[in-house]
Amino acid sequence: MIRVICSFAEPVSEEMKQTIPTYDLSDISKHRFHIKRMDQHTYDTEDNLKDKGIHRDSHYIFTCMESGHVKMMVDFNIIEAKESTIFCVLPGQVHQGLLMDQVNGWFIAIKSDLVPDSVRSVFEEFLEGIQPLTIDKNWVEKFNNTATLLHSFYQDETLASKEGFMVIQSLLHSFIGMFAFKYSKENYSKNVGESRSLQLTREFKIMVRQNYKTMKSPSEYADKLNISRGYLTEVIREITGNPAQHWIHQEILIEAKRLLAFTHLTVKEIAYELGYTDHAYFTRLFSKLEDQTPSAFRKSQA
């Protein structure tokens, strides 16, 4: 069973709680992607949520829902979608399925190396969190037609050849390319006339997501971007309303909260995992950002 949002992973055991479980497609599938059709799928875990299905994936999950109702937790945010909706969960995000009610549609789990850079950039450069996106009947039909064709080839073992995989890859790119098109259009409508400042902000946020454990200062990012710290701070504040340091801290904070809520690592171990040799400093920083100590936050999640 592929442990993705649409199949609901099994409860996390105590032995696994030193880390947040991370599932990889290579452990459970001979392919580098998996496609599944959902028909009248219903599942409810809201009455007993503790530790059920909380995990990360090393791959992307693209979900196209034609009808129904879905609720999930993604990095402490409750995401809810109804009727015709598309949504994407990124590699590394901690998530958990909470509710599926009469869901019809498709999901595709796909390893990062199969996702074109042009598609990855659409989602990884998002300035804010990715939210479900409503689509009309015309787009539902496009997604359904592409997914149906892809699914038929996926089940055909004769397409294990190099030429066969070229067909599958083309269909995969079409399906996830439509996701990128819809989300980029949505993002563009909010940021018409993209400026150099907006481009720089995107570059900065991608760099922070990749390096927050080792690069803690805006000066380090400014050097990498070949600009001054003052200019970086000015640009980031102009576009987002917050300075560069805020976004560095936010990446650190969300990973700290993941580890506090979903593992048994000590605060000292978590500090070290996040690149702090002084766990007392980490505790002070967390307390300042979250208005409570790491231990208090962990207790609040129990």
Side-chain angles (χ1 to χ4, degrees):
M1 179 180 69
I2 289 190
R3 293 174 173 87
V4 293
I5 192 68
C6 295
S7 61
F8 298 96
E10 296 175 0
V12 180
S13 68
E14 287 300 310
E15 290 77 16
M16 300 174 71
K17 287 282 286 181
Q18 283 301 106
T19 60
I20 299 169
T22 299
Y23 301 129
D24 188 272
L25 283 176
S26 62
D27 297 330
I28 44 184
S29 174
K30 62 183 179 181
H31 302 292
R32 288 188 288 161
F33 78 100
H34 180 79
I35 180 170
K36 181 178 179 179
R37 173 71 193 179
M38 298 173 289
D39 289 305
Q40 295 296 307
H41 199 107
T42 296
Y43 200 101
D44 186 355
T45 65
E46 289 193 283
D47 292 334
N48 185 17
L49 297 181
K50 186 58 180 173
D51 289 345
K52 282 195 173 180
I54 294 170
H55 67 287
R56 309 178 198 255
D57 291 307
S58 62
H59 45 270
Y60 286 80
I61 300 171
F62 295 94
T63 303
C64 178
M65 186 170 71
E66 298 164 5
S67 60
H69 179 197
V70 165
K71 187 182 292 187
M72 70 191 88
M73 181 279 292
V74 181
D75 282 338
F76 301 96
N77 295 313
I78 300 300
I79 304 297
E80 194 164 10
K82 295 182 179 180
E83 303 309 323
S84 303
T85 309
I86 57 174
F87 187 64
C88 178
V89 178
L90 305 182
Q93 288 189 301
V94 173
H95 59 282
Q96 174 191 33
L98 303 180
L99 172 70
M100 297 185 74
D101 183 22
Q102 299 295 305
V103 172
N104 295 287
W106 296 92
F107 79 79
I108 290 180
I110 176 171
K111 292 179 77 71
S112 297
D113 62 352
L114 278 184
V115 179
D117 289 342
S118 57
V119 173
R120 295 176 66 175
S121 65
V122 168
F123 296 99
E124 293 178 358
E125 294 177 10
F126 249 68
L127 296 181
E128 303 296 338
I130 300 170
Q131 296 293 318
L133 188 62
T134 301
I135 57 174
D136 60 27
K137 292 182 178 180
N138 180 45
W139 274 99
V140 169
E141 184 177 1
K142 290 177 180 177
F143 278 111
N144 184 54
N145 289 341
T146 306
T148 300
L149 187 57
L150 175 59
H151 189 252
S152 68
F153 283 126
Y154 178 72
Q155 294 180 310
D156 188 345
E157 293 299 325
T158 64
L159 287 179
S161 65
K162 178 180 178 181
E163 294 74 17
F165 185 74
M166 288 174 60
V167 174
I168 288 178
Q169 190 172 43
S170 296
L171 290 169
L172 267 176
H173 287 182
S174 296
F175 187 84
I176 62 180
M178 288 192 290
F179 267 76
F181 176 80
K182 292 297 291 181
Y183 270 98
S184 61
K185 187 175 180 181
E186 176 75 7
N187 207 29
Y188 179 78
S189 68
K190 297 176 181 177
N191 302 291
V192 177
E194 184 165 302
S195 65
R196 170 57 183 156
S197 293
L198 188 53
Q199 293 172 1
L200 187 61
T201 300
R202 293 184 189 281
E203 291 179 45
F204 166 73
K205 293 200 72 177
I206 290 173
M207 195 176 293
V208 171
R209 290 189 186 111
Q210 296 172 344
N211 300 283
Y212 68 91
K213 290 185 180 182
T214 57
M215 294 169 59
K216 301 288 196 291
S217 166
S219 297
E220 295 176 277
Y221 293 95
D223 288 344
K224 290 283 187 181
L225 293 167
N226 297 312
I227 58 177
S228 70
R229 172 175 176 150
Y231 181 61
L232 176 65
T233 297
E234 177 185 340
V235 166
I236 302 304
R237 190 188 294 275
E238 173 194 344
I239 296 298
T240 70
N242 290 293
Q245 188 69 72
H246 168 84
W247 297 108
I248 299 170
H249 283 162
Q250 286 305 300
E251 288 296 327
I252 295 167
L253 182 63
I254 189 63
E255 182 64 10
K257 290 168 72 174
R258 290 165 176 163
L259 296 174
L260 286 165
F262 306 129
T263 78
H264 289 321
L265 293 173
T266 66
V267 173
K268 185 176 182 179
E269 289 170 331
I270 290 172
Y272 183 78
E273 174 70 18
L274 296 176
Y276 294 98
T277 56
D278 183 351
H279 70 278
Y281 173 81
F282 165 74
T283 296
R284 291 195 298 272
L285 176 64
F286 185 98
S287 300
K288 179 180 178 181
L289 297 174
E290 191 64 16
D291 200 29
Q292 60 181 324
T293 66
S295 297
F297 174 80
R298 169 169 275 169
K299 186 176 181 180
S300 72
Q301 301 298 305

